[in-house]
């Protein structure tokens, strides 16, 4: 940082504020967002820093766009501007990029790069030679992680509660789905963006044809094979029709300790004995007393049929129902993330097939791009939380606009469908989703304001570079 920089003059710490103008070497020279919409912005105050009042760059743009009176800033004035800055504060976190769309021909990226995995494995083997061999921790030894059994029951009940609440909310707040693609929209009128990639989308020029959505459109049902023994043999191709399939979140909860009457699973009370890398035998449990009921067992909620759904009577009940739904969504996500840290979950890198277990199954039912080269086998890799519970991002409708405009698409944000549905129902926006919803971005009232906003970064950068070079 050079001497006399605005960053240094204001005494900023490591957690400094973003500046609208600074020296050439200052990394906070230009913000990545606009502090206020042009229709609601006020003239920025003149900044004084020991040399009299100086017109900052933001103020010069204001007076040039609003009153067409741009004060000439010469070399001496730019030296004064160089010693002062206008601080732009934001009540929300910095805006984040919208989720990327992956083509069906692309392979999913690894959560951790393969080179990093190899490096960590080599380091782990190197350190293991110097230390005595430790016993295998649960759940790899066949035992349950006792601290995660209550979490599994919470996730199980949160999933059922979320489904029941969504059925009630979707009767009050309309949710639309496209007939030809998997895109949905929360609102009475669908968005006008030409993003349809379904059947004969070129004939409609990318426009969507909206219809009423269901709960399965908001919460995508991801199913997997139920394992009666988590450490047993892998499912073969011939067994693909004889083994039942259940939701992946339910299978994860069952393996973590939830007991379901219709889906029994093997519970061990002694660690398994490993004879090799992939060969194990069960320990003798005859000397143990009869098993007692688990102290962590909780009652499981029942899913309400569609004919018995009770609708909220007024706006207050809708808001409280939205808060409860959002809380169930957060419990589901946070609990599933805790379970996935201990109980491995696999996903195919080419299709959305998910397998809950240490290794994927051998069923050759992958129909993704170039599956003939793999003979229908899945390319298993570590799954992320989005693979287990797809968030299903939709466009966020601002409070000031009832319908989205096609020309202002760059100003709108996105949020998961459940979050957007609860926000429109009256729930408060969670802090985690504020960056992608772009709440601090001002929405122009017309197309002319949008053109002015889009030309602001180019104007500021060119104007500043020319002035600094002359100085």
């Amino acid at each position: 940082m050079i001497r006399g920089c605005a960053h240094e003059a204001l005494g900023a710490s490591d957690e400094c504020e973003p500046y609208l103008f600074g020296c050439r070497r200052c990394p906070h020279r230009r913000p990545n967002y606009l502090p206020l919409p042009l229709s609601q912005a006020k003239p920025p105050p003149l900044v004084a820093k020991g040399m009299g009042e100086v017109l900052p760059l933001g103020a010069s743009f204001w007076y040039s766009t609003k009153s067409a009176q741009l004060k000439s800033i010469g070399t001496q004035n730019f030296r004064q501007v160089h010693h002062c800055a206008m601080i732009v504060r934001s009540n929300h976190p910095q805006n984040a990029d919208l989720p990327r769309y992956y083509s069906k021909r692309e392979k999913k990226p690894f959560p951790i790069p393969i080179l990093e995995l190899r490096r960590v494995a080599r380091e782990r083997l190197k350190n293991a030679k110097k230390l005595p061999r430790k016993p295998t921790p649960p759940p790899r030894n066949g035992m349950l992680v006792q601290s995660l059994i209550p979490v599994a029951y919470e996730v199980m009940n949160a999933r059922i509660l979320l489904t029941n609440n969504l059925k009630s909310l979707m009767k009050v707040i309309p949710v639309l789905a496209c007939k030809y693609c998997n895109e949905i929209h929360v609102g009475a009128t669908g968005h006008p963006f030409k993003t349809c990639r379904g059947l004969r989308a070129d004939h409609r020029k990318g426009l969507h044809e909206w219809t009423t959505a269901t709960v399965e459109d908001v919460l995508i049902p991801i199913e997997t094979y139920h394992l009666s023994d988590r450490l047993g043999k892998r499912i073969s191709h011939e067994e693909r029709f004889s083994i039942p399939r259940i939701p992946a979140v339910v299978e994860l909860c069952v393996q973590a300790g939830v007991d379901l009457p219709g889906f029994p699973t093997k519970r061990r009370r002694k660690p398994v004995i490993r004879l090799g890398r992939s060969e194990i035998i069960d320990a003798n449990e005859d000397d143990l007393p009869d098993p007692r009921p688990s102290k962590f067992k909780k009652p499981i909620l029942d899913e309400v049929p569609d004919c018995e759904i009770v609708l909220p009577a007024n706006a207050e009940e809708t808001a409280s129902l939205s808060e409860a739904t959002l809380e169930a969504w957060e419990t589901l996500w946070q609990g599933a993330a805790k379970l996935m840290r201990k109980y491995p979950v696999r996903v195919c890198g080419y299709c959305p097939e998910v397998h809950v277990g240490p290794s994927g199954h051998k069923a050759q039912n992958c129909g993704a791009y170039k599956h003939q080269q793999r003979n229908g086998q899945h390319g298993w890799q570590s799954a992320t939380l989005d693979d287990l519970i797809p968030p299903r991002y939709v466009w966020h409708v601002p409070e000031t606009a009832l319908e989205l405009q096609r020309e202002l698409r760059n100003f709108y944000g996105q949020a998961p469908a459940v979050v957007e549905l609860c926000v429109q129902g009256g729930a408060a926006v969670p802090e985690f989703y504020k960056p992608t919803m772009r709440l601090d971005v001002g929405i122009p009232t017309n197309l002319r304001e949008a053109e002015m906003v889009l030309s602001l970064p180019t104007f500021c950068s060119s104007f500043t570079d020319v002035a600094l070079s002359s100085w």
Side-chain angles (χ1 to χ4, degrees):
M1 184 179 301
I2 65 176
R3 185 176 181 181
C5 171
H7 186 190
E8 181 182 8
L10 294 181
S13 60
D14 294 336
E15 297 180 357
C16 51
E17 300 285 349
Y19 295 106
L20 185 63
F21 180 78
C23 69
R24 183 179 293 273
R25 298 185 183 181
C26 183
H28 307 281
R29 170 185 174 193
R30 215 175 285 136
N32 296 328
Y33 61 92
L34 294 176
L36 287 174
L38 294 179
S39 59
Q40 303 177 5
K42 297 180 180 180
L46 301 180
V47 182
K49 193 64 180 179
M51 294 187 180
E53 294 184 346
V54 182
L55 186 67
L57 183 60
S60 65
F61 178 75
W62 167 269
Y63 290 113
S64 64
T65 55
K66 289 295 181 181
S67 59
Q69 297 178 359
L70 176 62
K71 294 186 178 181
S72 60
I73 301 179
T75 305
Q76 181 179 1
N77 289 338
F78 242 96
R79 290 180 181 178
Q80 297 178 8
V81 175
H82 187 70
H83 287 273
C84 62
M86 182 176 67
I87 299 177
V88 179
R89 301 182 184 274
S90 176
N91 296 328
H92 307 292
Q94 180 67 7
N95 299 325
D97 295 335
L98 301 181
R100 178 190 169 189
Y101 170 78
Y102 288 96
S103 173
K104 294 182 179 179
R105 298 187 177 185
E106 294 183 74
K107 186 182 181 298
K108 298 174 186 176
F110 289 96
I112 302 176
I114 191 65
L115 296 180
E116 181 66 17
L117 292 176
R118 293 175 179 175
R119 186 192 65 81
V120 173
R122 289 194 298 266
E123 185 177 356
R124 184 175 63 251
L125 293 177
K126 183 178 179 180
N127 297 334
K129 296 179 181 178
K130 305 177 183 178
L131 301 175
R133 188 172 182 178
K134 298 181 180 180
T136 306
R140 293 183 57 191
N141 61 358
M143 305 288 289
L144 294 177
V145 182
Q146 298 296 322
S147 60
L148 292 181
I149 297 179
V151 179
Y153 277 97
E154 291 179 1
V155 172
M156 191 72 181
N157 289 330
R159 176 186 173 274
I160 299 175
L161 180 62
L162 177 63
T163 305
N164 295 336
N165 291 351
L166 284 179
K167 292 180 180 179
S168 300
L169 278 180
M170 293 179 65
K171 299 290 184 179
V172 180
I173 304 174
V175 181
L176 305 178
C178 182
K179 295 181 181 179
Y180 301 98
C181 68
N182 58 357
E183 193 161 346
I184 61 176
H185 180 76
V186 181
T189 306
H191 65 75
F193 306 137
K194 300 180 179 181
T195 55
C196 183
R197 300 181 178 89
L199 181 64
R200 298 180 179 179
D202 52 344
H203 294 179
R204 303 185 308 274
K205 298 182 179 179
L207 291 175
H208 299 275
E209 289 191 13
W210 302 106
T211 184
T212 305
T214 59
V215 179
E216 287 74 15
D217 296 324
V218 179
L219 285 179
I220 303 178
I222 301 295
E223 294 186 347
T224 184
Y225 288 107
H226 171 62
L227 301 181
S228 58
D229 186 4
R230 181 163 43 90
L231 300 182
K233 295 182 178 181
R234 298 174 64 182
I235 300 175
S236 62
H237 181 67
E238 291 75 16
E239 299 173 338
R240 65 188 185 279
F241 296 123
S242 59
I243 297 179
R245 291 178 65 89
I246 61 176
V249 178
V250 176
E251 175 64 18
L252 180 62
C253 296
V254 169
Q255 293 189 15
V258 175
D259 294 329
L260 292 181
F263 303 99
T265 184
K266 191 173 184 178
R267 305 293 187 193
R268 295 179 175 88
R269 294 189 291 168
K270 281 187 177 181
V272 297
I273 302 174
R274 291 191 174 271
L275 302 179
R277 185 175 182 180
S278 58
E279 185 179 0
I280 60 173
I281 58 174
D282 294 333
N284 188 11
E285 300 179 358
D286 296 339
D287 56 336
L288 298 178
D290 295 337
R292 297 179 180 179
S294 177
K295 61 180 180 179
F296 302 107
K297 189 173 183 180
K298 298 180 181 180
I300 300 177
L301 301 178
D302 296 330
E303 187 171 344
V304 181
D306 296 342
C307 58
E308 300 179 6
I309 293 296
V310 179
L311 303 182
N314 48 35
E316 295 181 356
E317 293 185 4
T318 303
S320 61
L321 183 61
S322 301
E323 292 287 351
T325 305
L326 196 56
E327 184 179 356
W329 170 260
E330 294 292 335
T331 304
L332 177 63
W333 263 59
Q334 296 174 5
K338 292 180 182 179
L339 297 179
M340 291 179 64
R341 295 191 188 104
K342 288 294 184 179
Y343 296 91
V345 181
R346 304 294 179 183
V347 66
C348 180
Y350 305 94
C351 70
E353 178 73 12
V354 172
H355 181 81
V356 182
S359 57
H361 58 77
K362 297 182 179 180
Q364 302 174 1
N365 53 5
C366 181
Y369 181 64
K370 290 186 178 181
H371 62 91
Q372 300 88 350
Q373 299 180 1
R374 305 186 305 274
N375 197 20
Q377 296 181 356
H378 296 280
W380 298 111
Q381 62 186 45
S382 299
T384 60
L385 190 58
D386 291 347
D387 298 323
L388 186 68
I389 310 174
R392 202 63 185 278
Y393 279 86
V394 297
W395 290 100
H396 170 61
V397 181
E399 297 180 357
T400 57
L402 298 179
E403 298 181 4
L404 302 181
Q405 300 183 25
R406 184 180 305 169
E407 295 79 8
L408 305 179
R409 177 180 174 180
N410 294 334
F411 298 91
Y412 299 130
Q414 291 185 358
V418 176
V419 178
E420 178 67 16
L421 185 64
C422 296
V423 169
Q424 293 192 18
V429 181
E431 292 289 337
F432 181 77
Y433 301 103
K434 286 182 178 180
T436 56
M437 297 176 72
R438 296 180 177 177
L439 298 179
D440 56 343
V441 174
I443 308 298
T445 56
N446 50 47
L447 186 58
R448 177 171 176 79
E449 280 194 2
E451 294 176 353
M452 295 170 61
V453 171
L454 293 176
S455 61
L456 173 61
T458 306
F459 169 79
C460 294
S461 60
S462 59
F463 188 74
T464 306
D465 293 341
V466 172
L468 284 178
S469 60
S470 62
W471 175 63

